[in-house]
Amino acid sequence: MSSHVLKYKKEHFRRLNIRFLPRNDYLCFQIKSIHITDMKKHFLFSCALCWAMMAGAETIDVKTFRHAGPYPVQAPFCVDSVDVNSKAFTAEQLLDTPLSLEGVEQAEAVAIGTLPGADAGYALHLLGFTVENTRYAEATIKVDGLKNYHLYVDGKKHEGTSLTLNPATHTLVIKYLSEAGKQETPQVSIETKGEEGNLQIRQDGKRIYTLDDVLHGTRFGGVSLSPDGKYLITNYRTTKVGGQTAGCTRVTELATGKVLAERSESLQWMPRTNRYYYTRAGVDGRELVTVEPATGVESILARQLPDGYFRFAPTEDYLLYSLTQEGPKERKEIYQVLEPDDRQPGWRNRSYLAKYDLTTGLMQRLTYGYHNVWASDISQDGRYVLMMVSESRLTQRPTTLHSIYRLDVQTLQAELLVEKDGFLSGAHFSPDGQKVLLSGSPEALNGIGKNVREGQTPSMIDTQLYLMNIADRQITPLTRDFNPNVQLVSWSKADGQVYFTAENRDLYSLYRLNPATGKIQQLETAEDLVNAFSLAAQAPVMAWYGQGASNSDRLYLLNTKNLKSSLQEDLSREKLENVELGECRAWDFVNSRGDTICGRYYLPPHFDASKKYPMIVNYYGGCSPTSRNFESRYPHHAYAALGYVVYVIEPSGATGFGQEFSARHVNTAGDGVAQDIIEGTRRFCTEHSFVNDKKIGCIGASYGGFMTQYLQTQTDIFAAAVSHAGISDHTSYWGEGYWGYSYSEVSMANSYPWANPDLFVKQSPLYNADKIHTPLLFVHGDADVNVPVGESIQMFTALKLLGRETAFVAVSDQDHHIVDYDKRILWQNTIFAWFAKWLQDDASWWNAIYKPKSL
């Protein structure tokens, strides 16, 4: 109903002494005492009721369709008068004839009117149109002028006339049957409930970005170059509508772009020869098969291959196995827990190394003992293995220690390189085998790479690189003054340079390090995030793939001589075809402490700076930045498509900004971090007039869920908040979560509940619950072993006892991440609906999912 009509009707009823009472979900009215007959009262009451019913409705006439057809169909030859269910054939049954709906997508638009029918007999037709809603919508569709038809909504047959539409761009198709000599003049209308203008006809072929786009489609699972750089193995993962997943692997000739093979097996390159290999079940056991990529000719390299994970030695004459020995078992009915980590399945098992000789078939065990052992690298001559040995030490931080050995696989003599350093995480041989590239935290190797203020404890996950000369054990810190946080590392055999990715603010950037000079160079890439890369062993070629804040996966080839990248494959183009995205813009500010705090924000499609938009603030607030992943746990463009401005902030304590910045995460439990988020939110609203500062929501998960709860004890600027799997009590999380005490080594280094109650208790939201007045939603997997579900339950209980607005939604049989396809959709819609209720004053979606109950 148009605004001027509403204005007229309200004024008309005001004159009749009828007062309207606004409510959130419905419209009330009151007839005041007037001196008229009962009949007149009844008439006025009926008019008022009619207006109240009409006020929340809007009728949309569909005036243009995409028409495909006619598709002639014939009545079948009737062998009998009835079928097996004693039903006689009728022409209406021809509607059940299978017909692809895809034809209507490319059909030309036609204006409403008499549509072409069948020249003779019967024909099927498709009428398609598109509607779009950015809020939950309930509607009724009315189809007149057609006798026999079926309705399809988003590709699925729909029974009845009632429609419930989650926010999205929806395709509606009417499949109808025409008969020669009879004209078909369809008249289609949709009557919606709720806010006027929410549901609209869309005719430009575009659509908004939704959760479906996040869940479905094809992504890269990995890339690997052949040693000579001429061939590429690419792994793909595809998720289909309904949740089914499929994987495939392609072998491509790079010079021609020709796909040489496409298989379901996992394929990997031999280290030196340009053949790939895979394993399969043979007649008498597991077989190791090699393949010539150009011809596809296969050769069986080994039969009766032992089970287990292995890697090829660079010399290609043996396989290095990593195997597992099972530990002692306990009764299921009643059992002993030896250590905190003994609660984790498989903790009692131990890994060891073995060498499989491809010539003789002999499996030689290389290590034996109680402690876990794994291989970090193999020297190019195949003679040595870099192995790491771990052991537990609960009484002192760090509670897990690592020793690094160089093991001679011929003599089985081991040389200790680093002893019991709990801050190391990896090791790689140099191409000549004379040096070792070590990775670890700033406290590794007696703190030689530490670069923080006096009194600060570095973050244990701010990864640094160190170079060890094996001959004299001299160690050089390579990244002490380098701010980004090192991630993937590879030492090139082709040019002797070290290539690595690193968290660089909210980016994953690509770098090259010269180990001779220590110089680090950032390489130019076309994507915000470099997610994985592969180097050719004998050629100056790198394959890498990544994505941006506003695009999905793309694959590139990089010439490591001229450092130029070329696009090889663009999966994003197909995924985002016809998708309409808003802009993503960077926005940093200088806080009151003088620190530059990084951030970015996402705008809705068709953004209008003169309007006021509700805003959602997203953060982690823990030890890592909230990266620019396009398809993240909280897909920012999907939120923006619903009419929100989304502000992502990287507060103090995140890696990627330097050691001193990340060290602020340690022993603060939100102090300083919350101030950054609050100050950033206020500053953003001040500098951007298009934000409705009365309608701001916030959301975070895990440590970010703790930040959500903690923020509400510090400020009242938020109108709604969501905590997914959040920590409410640092003490209970410290003792109950699988990684509670070990993560506290990062976040609360050398602090314990009995020694620092101010940190563990006073900084816990649970002990400040009475300060919370923001409507707060808790969502949690009830099988979460990282942050147990009790962390949400106890905070929810506190707020209920305090009489505050809150809700708790448990996701059955889900751990820390919601990975089940159907449950993830419900989980995400729950979050969407909560924000719609409190930030858009529309509770219809929430009430549809969680129908109000009287208890």
Side-chain angles (χ1 to χ4, degrees):
M1 186 177 296
S2 64
S3 58
H4 68 276
V5 174
L6 289 176
K7 182 178 180 181
Y8 168 78
K9 288 185 175 291
K10 288 182 179 179
E11 176 63 19
H12 177 68
F13 283 108
R14 186 188 65 78
R15 292 174 181 173
L16 292 176
N17 215 15
I18 298 176
R19 183 165 63 93
F20 291 88
L21 308 177
R23 294 291 186 267
N24 285 337
D25 302 315
Y26 52 89
L27 187 67
C28 294
F29 55 89
Q30 180 182 35
I31 303 179
K32 296 184 179 179
S33 177
I34 49 179
H35 298 287
I36 52 177
T37 64
D38 289 343
M39 183 177 294
K40 289 181 180 179
K41 286 184 180 179
H42 180 74
F43 171 74
L44 291 174
F45 181 85
S46 300
C47 291
L49 179 62
C50 178
W51 183 88
M53 296 174 63
M54 292 174 58
E58 177 186 15
T59 299
I60 301 172
D61 294 321
V62 183
K63 298 181 179 180
T64 307
F65 300 96
R66 297 185 301 276
H67 175 261
Y71 302 98
V73 289
Q74 296 176 307
F77 172 71
C78 293
V79 179
D80 300 297
S81 59
V82 295
D83 65 6
V84 70
N85 294 311
S86 301
K87 291 184 178 181
F89 175 79
T90 63
E92 183 180 357
Q93 291 176 282
L94 293 174
L95 267 176
D96 296 325
T97 305
L99 176 63
S100 173
L101 302 182
E102 291 184 359
V104 78
E105 294 180 4
Q106 306 301 324
E108 293 186 3
V110 296
I112 192 169
T114 302
L115 296 176
D119 293 334
Y122 300 98
L124 294 175
H125 303 254
L126 299 176
L127 292 179
F129 62 98
T130 301
V131 299
E132 185 172 285
N133 55 299
T134 57
R135 297 191 186 182
Y136 177 82
E138 295 180 353
T140 301
I141 186 169
K142 185 178 181 181
V143 180
D144 292 325
L146 296 177
K147 180 180 179 183
N148 297 317
Y149 70 91
H150 289 162
L151 174 65
Y152 296 83
V153 179
D154 295 329
K156 296 180 180 179
K157 187 177 177 182
H158 185 81
E159 302 293 342
T161 60
S162 296
L163 301 175
T164 56
L165 303 174
N166 286 349
T169 307
H170 302 278
T171 299
L172 279 70
V173 176
I174 298 169
K175 174 185 175 183
Y176 73 89
L177 180 72
S178 67
E179 185 177 354
K182 297 182 179 180
Q183 292 184 338
E184 303 288 351
T185 309
Q187 296 178 351
V188 180
S189 63
I190 299 177
E191 184 178 280
T192 67
K193 302 175 184 178
E195 182 178 344
E196 182 181 0
N198 179 32
L199 192 70
Q200 297 181 337
I201 302 294
R202 182 149 199 177
Q203 298 179 336
D204 60 1
K206 301 291 185 181
R207 59 186 179 88
I208 63 173
Y209 186 73
T210 68
L211 182 60
D212 283 348
D213 298 296
V214 180
L215 295 176
H216 306 140
T218 300
R219 299 166 182 85
F220 295 120
V223 290
S224 179
L225 280 165
S226 62
D228 63 3
K230 294 181 179 180
Y231 304 100
L232 180 68
I233 288 175
T234 310
N235 298 316
Y236 301 86
R237 294 175 290 106
T238 300
T239 303
K240 304 174 183 178
V241 174
Q244 302 89 353
T245 60
C248 76
T249 305
R250 288 179 188 162
V251 182
T252 307
E253 184 179 53
L254 294 176
T256 64
K258 182 180 179 181
V259 176
L260 303 177
E262 184 167 326
R263 317 178 65 119
S264 60
E265 300 94 345
S266 174
L267 309 179
Q268 298 184 61
W269 292 108
M270 301 281 283
R272 291 185 176 177
T273 54
N274 294 292
R275 294 178 294 163
Y276 61 88
Y277 68 90
Y278 68 98
T279 61
R280 69 186 180 195
V283 175
D284 57 351
R286 190 183 185 198
E287 294 178 343
L288 176 61
V289 182
T290 64
V291 184
E292 293 285 348
T295 64
V297 174
E298 297 188 347
S299 302
I300 299 177
L301 190 60
R303 291 184 170 87
Q304 298 181 343
L305 193 70
D307 290 333
Y309 170 78
F310 66 84
R311 61 193 294 184
F312 258 97
T315 48
E316 299 186 357
D317 57 346
Y318 71 87
L319 307 177
L320 182 65
Y321 269 81
S322 180
L323 301 172
T324 300
Q325 180 182 16
E326 290 192 0
K329 303 292 186 181
E330 288 277 345
R331 294 183 295 262
K332 292 183 178 179
E333 300 81 7
I334 184 170
Y335 53 89
Q336 180 186 15
V337 176
L338 301 178
E339 291 188 11
D341 285 345
D342 194 21
R343 297 175 298 153
Q344 301 183 36
W347 176 82
R348 295 187 180 185
N349 300 337
R350 295 295 184 265
S351 58
Y352 65 94
L353 302 179
K355 172 188 172 186
Y356 180 82
D357 190 298
L358 287 166
T359 301
T360 65
L362 175 68
M363 175 75 94
Q364 167 67 58
R365 184 164 181 158
L366 299 180
T367 65
Y368 183 88
Y370 176 78
H371 297 301
N372 279 308
V373 180
W374 67 95
S376 290
D377 202 2
I378 308 174
S379 62
Q380 288 302 296
D381 60 6
R383 178 71 182 268
Y384 298 101
V385 171
L386 271 179
M387 67 179 190
M388 299 187 72
V389 180
S390 70
E391 59 182 272
S392 176
R393 179 191 62 181
L394 292 178
T395 57
Q396 186 179 345
R397 175 184 179 268
T399 55
T400 301
L401 301 176
H402 302 132
S403 296
I404 301 177
Y405 294 84
R406 184 174 71 159
L407 176 68
D408 188 326
V409 297
Q410 295 180 8
T411 67
L412 299 192
Q413 297 300 305
E415 179 183 6
L416 180 63
L417 301 181
V418 180
E419 184 177 14
K420 297 182 180 180
D421 189 322
F423 300 105
L424 287 176
S425 56
H428 303 268
F429 275 121
S430 61
D432 63 6
Q434 301 304 305
K435 295 179 176 61
V436 176
L437 184 68
L438 301 169
S439 57
S441 78
E443 294 176 90
L445 305 166
N446 296 316
I448 192 174
K450 189 162 62 172
N451 184 13
V452 296
R453 290 185 286 105
E454 186 69 28
Q456 276 189 312
T457 300
S459 171
M460 285 180 65
I461 65 163
D462 200 331
T463 305
Q464 309 295 309
L465 294 179
Y466 306 87
L467 187 63
M468 170 188 280
N469 187 47
I470 296 177
D472 58 12
R473 302 293 198 276
Q474 289 296 310
I475 297 175
T476 304
L478 299 173
T479 55
R480 183 179 183 276
D481 301 310
F482 178 72
N483 285 339
N485 178 34
V486 176
Q487 296 182 307
L488 304 175
V489 181
S490 182
W491 201 324
S492 172
K493 303 169 186 64
D495 62 14
Q497 304 292 294
V498 174
Y499 294 84
F500 65 93
T501 61
E503 288 175 341
N504 175 25
R505 293 162 58 96
D506 58 354
L507 310 174
Y508 299 162
S509 300
L510 181 64
Y511 298 89
R512 180 168 70 179
L513 181 149
N514 185 329
T517 65
K519 180 181 178 182
I520 299 175
Q521 176 185 10
Q522 182 176 347
L523 306 185
E524 183 178 346
T525 60
E527 304 296 334
D528 294 336
L529 308 174
V530 177
N531 289 327
F533 68 89
S534 171
L535 290 164
Q538 304 156 9
V541 184
M542 173 193 287
W544 66 272
Y545 66 87
Q547 58 180 237
S550 299
N551 65 272
S552 188
D553 285 357
R554 294 176 180 141
L555 171 64
Y556 297 82
L557 292 180
L558 171 70
N559 184 313
T560 57
K561 284 188 175 180
N562 61 26
L563 301 181
K564 299 296 183 182
S565 287
S566 58
L567 181 63
Q568 179 74 11
E569 188 173 4
D570 186 354
L571 297 181
S572 183
R573 180 173 55 187
E574 181 177 348
K575 275 182 64 68
L576 298 181
E577 185 179 9
N578 296 324
V579 172
E580 200 168 50
L581 299 176
E583 287 187 68
C584 174
R585 300 174 182 174
W587 186 78
D588 301 348
F589 76 98
V590 178
N591 68 11
S592 56
R593 297 190 299 274
D595 303 316
T596 298
I597 302 299
C598 169
R600 63 185 184 276
Y601 63 98
Y602 299 75
L603 296 173
H606 305 289
F607 169 72
D608 183 349
S610 66
K611 293 183 178 180
K612 290 283 190 180
Y613 293 88
M615 184 169 77
I616 296 173
V617 182
N618 182 217
Y619 41 76
Y620 180 44
C623 47
S624 300
T626 303
S627 75
R628 289 175 170 251
N629 283 324
F630 182 61
E631 295 146 335
S632 63
R633 182 195 335 230
Y634 301 121
H636 302 114
H637 278 291
Y639 283 82
L642 301 183
Y644 300 102
V645 172
V646 182
Y647 171 41
V648 180
I649 183 173
E650 314 291 357
S652 299
T655 52
F657 298 86
Q659 289 188 35
E660 192 279 328
F661 195 89
S662 63
R664 301 179 192 179
H665 174 64
V666 184
N667 284 317
T668 57
D671 186 30
V673 180
Q675 285 67 41
D676 285 346
I677 297 172
I678 295 168
E679 191 174 349
T681 302
R682 284 177 170 155
R683 287 277 297 278
F684 189 91
C685 293
T686 299
E687 296 186 20
H688 300 89
S689 60
F690 50 77
V691 174
N692 181 349
D693 61 7
K694 304 300 182 185
K695 294 293 183 180
I696 305 173
C698 62
I699 186 170
S702 194
Y703 197 92
F706 152 70
M707 283 307 308
T708 290
Q709 298 176 38
Y710 180 70
L711 280 167
Q712 311 323 307
T713 71
Q714 304 295 305
T715 183
D716 59 359
I717 64 172
F718 298 107
V722 177
S723 168
H724 170 72
I727 301 164
S728 63
D729 182 352
H730 293 299
T731 302
S732 56
Y733 167 67
W734 174 87
E736 293 182 14
Y738 272 10
W739 302 279
Y741 82 93
S742 55
Y743 178 67
S744 292
E745 293 183 43
V746 179
S747 62
M748 297 178 173
N750 296 312
S751 295
Y752 302 95
W754 56 87
N756 195 345
D758 284 349
L759 183 65
F760 279 85
V761 176
K762 290 185 178 180
Q763 288 295 111
S764 292
L766 181 62
Y767 301 99
N768 296 278
D770 58 324
K771 300 174 184 176
I772 297 178
H773 297 276
T774 306
L776 180 51
L777 167 67
F778 299 93
V779 283
H780 217 126
D782 67 6
D784 194 335
V785 296
N786 183 359
V787 178
V789 67
E791 292 297 312
S792 286
I793 292 173
Q794 59 192 4
M795 194 64 179
F796 169 71
T797 301
L799 294 181
K800 291 296 285 187
L801 294 179
L802 288 165
R804 308 293 159 77
E805 287 284 359
T806 187
F808 171 50
V809 173
V811 188
S812 64
D813 303 318
Q814 291 297 284
D815 203 334
H816 200 52
H817 298 276
I818 310 303
V819 296
D820 178 87
Y821 178 84
D822 293 324
K823 292 172 184 177
R824 183 178 178 187
I825 294 173
L826 290 171
W827 168 79
Q828 184 65 79
N829 286 343
T830 294
I831 296 170
F832 284 153
W834 181 258
F835 281 137
K837 177 178 179 178
W838 295 104
L839 303 185
Q840 296 177 329
D841 296 324
D842 184 356
S844 58
W845 198 358
W846 179 266
N847 291 336
I849 301 174
Y850 304 102
K851 297 186 183 302
K853 307 170 185 69
S854 298
L855 299 176

